[in-house]
Amino acid sequence: MPELDRRHFLVTGLAAGAALTIPAPALASRELRTDPFTLGVASGDPGSDGFVLWTRLAQEPLAEDGLGGMPPRPFTVRWQVYADERCRRLVRAGAAVAAPEWGHSVHVELDGLSADRDYWYRFRVGPYVSPVGRTRTAPHPLSYGGPLAMAFVSCSQYEHGYFTAYRRLAEEHPDLILHLGDYQYEYTKNSYVAPGGNVRDHEGPETETLAGYRQRHAQYKTDPDLRAAHAAAPWLVVWDDHELDNNWAGDIPERPDRPQPDFPVRREAAFRAYYENMPLRRTSVPHGVDMQLFRRIRWGRMASFHMLDTRQYRDDQGCGDGYRDCPDAADPARSITGARQEAWLLDGFRRSRARWDILGQQVFFAQRDNDAGPAKVTSQDAWDGYVASRRRITQGWIDAGVRNPVVLTGDVHAHWAADLKLDYDDPTGPTVGSELVATSITSGGDGADSDPAAHPFLAINPHLRFYNNQRGYVITRVERDKLTADFKVVPTVREPGAEAYTKATFVIEDRVPGVRQTYLRPLDQAARLRSRMSVEDTVRWETERP
């Protein structure tokens, strides 16, 4: 058995300043009536010598008090890391405490491991053993390593469908998964209904309390497809809005005309539950209403991932939110990132020596004008509502000489690909970056296949290169000379078990900003007949949805 080292693990309760005593295993055996690993296992934030391991104990995941049916005391959780999938070559082991103050979650931070290789891990408490998860370390900072299989996802509304896309993603065996927000949704059942109706229901009321957020996170993790995706690879996570409240901005809730005097309390509860349920490092332990989520992860010399938070520090959306021709959008004093995060990002551009600088963030970066006339009608919740902020970030990567800037986006429940401009009013101006947008896992229901050229946004905005309104994910292959993105879709989420296929493939060449399509799966005849109506419905759905 390897020697234990305090540097190699984090006791979640101790991160919050609590003094805890390691409980006796025999007591755990008597008190745990059923398997407490119902929420699975996860890993995240990989470095070249380690990563975070996560689990959360819950005998009754849907318990209304959010405590998962666990006794109100801490439990010792033992963890093991192996060099092989069959768990025969033990390389590290230790113990952590799952404290009730932190929802009986465990966050183990490991270092001192070998770079650029797979590891497998599991947890034990009393007589129970967790499922085995696979994770990996990043390449050495001075090494490129091999090609990186990186996937990104967003928007998984439990009620709108089955999480089949998570299962298909897990089967691709990626090296790294980015979740770009809307991991879970706050609504009570039947308050956010997909076209065609919801296929399952949320438990409990709208999430506003710590107990409610804990219960909702637990309900999502009872889905076996989501658990499979967590166990398949390390994740980099950031939130968007629904982890707290639709379209929240800083300390302002969605509907300031309907006062929420306890919104700071709600925000603190949502942040705490998010940390408890995600594989995050101790640097992201929330402090009241504040939580440090923007951070940078380096994948050797191949890529730097700049993970952004476009919710916590933003100014309120202009002109009452929604799609508007809004003069406030151009106000240079307004920011979507806040001054401190913007300075951090620009400094990261200047310091970067990576082949690819990848921004993992939430809302559409490129301009999307939905008016063909002189008005500029854009989404005030996206970067279009913070034009000067977007221009400063874009100018920042140009001035820093960033070799290959790529923006990854979620939020809009459809696949998109776009060329990025410094000045979108000049369509002949140079392309200075690339944007890839992942559709939702389930949000919006099935959607439908369509001819990308039929979407009116592509005609109004010539820098937009692709659109598809089916559910799915994006998986990329990041190499020194190119980044290849496969836009994967599933034909339905109303029933479980659908197969995934590639709808389109785009390539970004080294030192050639912009996206180039290399494959598009043609429509079948039935889909062609439905195509234009589907696009019209989608435009209306997107501009009216929560």
Side-chain angles (χ1 to χ4, degrees), residues 116-419:
D116 198 18
R117 64 151 298 160
D118 289 345
Y119 288 94
W120 289 262
Y121 62 95
R122 63 186 179 187
F123 298 89
R124 296 174 181 266
V125 62
Y128 300 102
V129 180
S130 76
V132 174
R134 168 189 171 263
T135 189
R136 69 173 291 114
T137 50
H140 186 276
L142 299 180
S143 169
Y144 284 98
L148 166 63
M150 179 272 295
F152 62 101
V153 297
S154 72
C155 303
S156 46
Q157 218 284 19
Y158 181 88
E159 300 174 297
H160 286 188
Y162 294 96
F163 289 166
T164 309
Y166 279 138
R167 172 72 61 174
R168 299 296 170 249
L169 172 55
E171 292 168 353
E172 304 237 23
H173 306 292
D175 299 317
L176 185 65
I177 298 172
L178 277 61
H179 199 294
L180 302 179
D182 293 346
Y183 180 93
Q184 59 93 27
Y185 283 69
E186 74 274 30
Y187 304 109
T188 190
K189 68 178 182 180
N190 296 325
S191 61
Y192 181 20
V193 180
N198 292 346
V199 301
R200 47 188 185 175
D201 293 328
H202 280 152
E203 294 285 335
E206 178 161 332
T207 52
E208 296 182 332
T209 66
L210 180 57
Y213 285 111
R214 282 172 168 171
Q215 181 194 43
R216 187 62 51 81
H217 275 282
Q219 182 177 18
Y220 276 55
K221 282 192 170 72
T222 61
D223 187 285
D225 296 337
L226 174 55
R227 294 200 308 273
H230 271 300
W235 284 39
L236 303 181
V237 299
V238 286
W239 55 41
D240 192 13
D241 52 339
H242 290 290
E243 288 86 353
L244 170 52
D245 181 38
N246 181 54
N247 283 11
W248 67 281
D251 58 359
I252 301 171
E254 174 190 12
R255 295 292 302 273
D257 58 317
R258 298 178 183 174
Q260 290 190 46
D262 294 331
F263 188 71
V265 176
R266 181 181 185 181
R267 172 169 153 160
E268 180 176 353
F271 287 10
R272 189 181 186 95
Y274 186 82
Y275 172 78
E276 291 173 350
N277 285 278
M278 294 295 170
L280 289 163
R281 293 185 180 270
R282 70 192 76 186
T283 51
S284 292
V285 172
H287 299 279
V289 297
D290 299 313
M291 183 171 169
Q292 177 72 44
L293 199 57
F294 68 84
R295 62 204 188 280
R296 189 171 292 113
I297 288 85
R298 294 179 172 87
W299 197 267
R301 295 184 63 187
M302 185 72 80
S304 283
F305 291 91
H306 311 268
M307 305 301 291
L308 304 187
D309 177 353
T310 62
R311 288 291 163 191
Q312 191 173 179
Y313 313 107
R314 69 159 67 191
D315 292 296
D316 193 18
Q317 296 93 340
C319 301
D321 210 346
Y323 274 77
R324 303 279 190 273
D325 183 2
C326 179
D328 291 348
D331 184 348
R334 301 179 70 253
S335 174
I336 194 172
T337 62
R340 184 169 70 94
Q341 183 176 197
E342 180 179 305
W344 166 86
L345 181 57
L346 296 179
D347 181 66
F349 290 155
R350 289 188 291 268
R351 294 174 180 270
S352 178
R353 299 296 180 267
R355 181 64 54 98
W356 302 88
D357 278 271
I358 299 173
L359 281 65
Q361 59 92 49
Q362 296 76 17
V363 293
F364 219 102
F365 194 86
Q367 179 175 289
R368 288 192 309 158
D369 187 356
N370 77 353
D371 187 282
K376 186 174 290 185
V377 180
T378 57
S379 170
Q380 298 308 296
D381 188 56
W383 288 82
D384 274 334
Y386 305 82
V387 173
S389 189
R390 175 175 63 198
R391 187 179 182 91
R392 289 192 298 270
I393 298 302
T394 307
Q395 188 68 58
W397 77 55
I398 294 171
D399 292 346
V402 168
R403 182 165 175 155
N404 293 299
V406 180
V407 177
L408 306 183
T409 300
D411 181 60
V412 292
H413 306 175
H415 282 319
W416 296 82
D419 296 339

Side-chain angles (χ1 to χ4, degrees), residues 172 415 449 466 468 470-471 473-475 484-491 499-506 517-522:
E172 304 237 23
H415 282 319
D449 199 0
F466 174 67
N468 173 267
Q470 294 171 281
R471 308 287 75 83
Y473 55 93
V474 180
I475 186 158
T484 304
D486 290 332
F487 288 83
K488 294 297 188 84
V489 299
V490 293
E499 294 300 319
Y501 63 87
T502 300
K503 176 59 185 178
T505 299
F506 280 80
Q517 184 174 293
T518 60
Y519 171 76
L520 178 66
R521 176 171 167 145

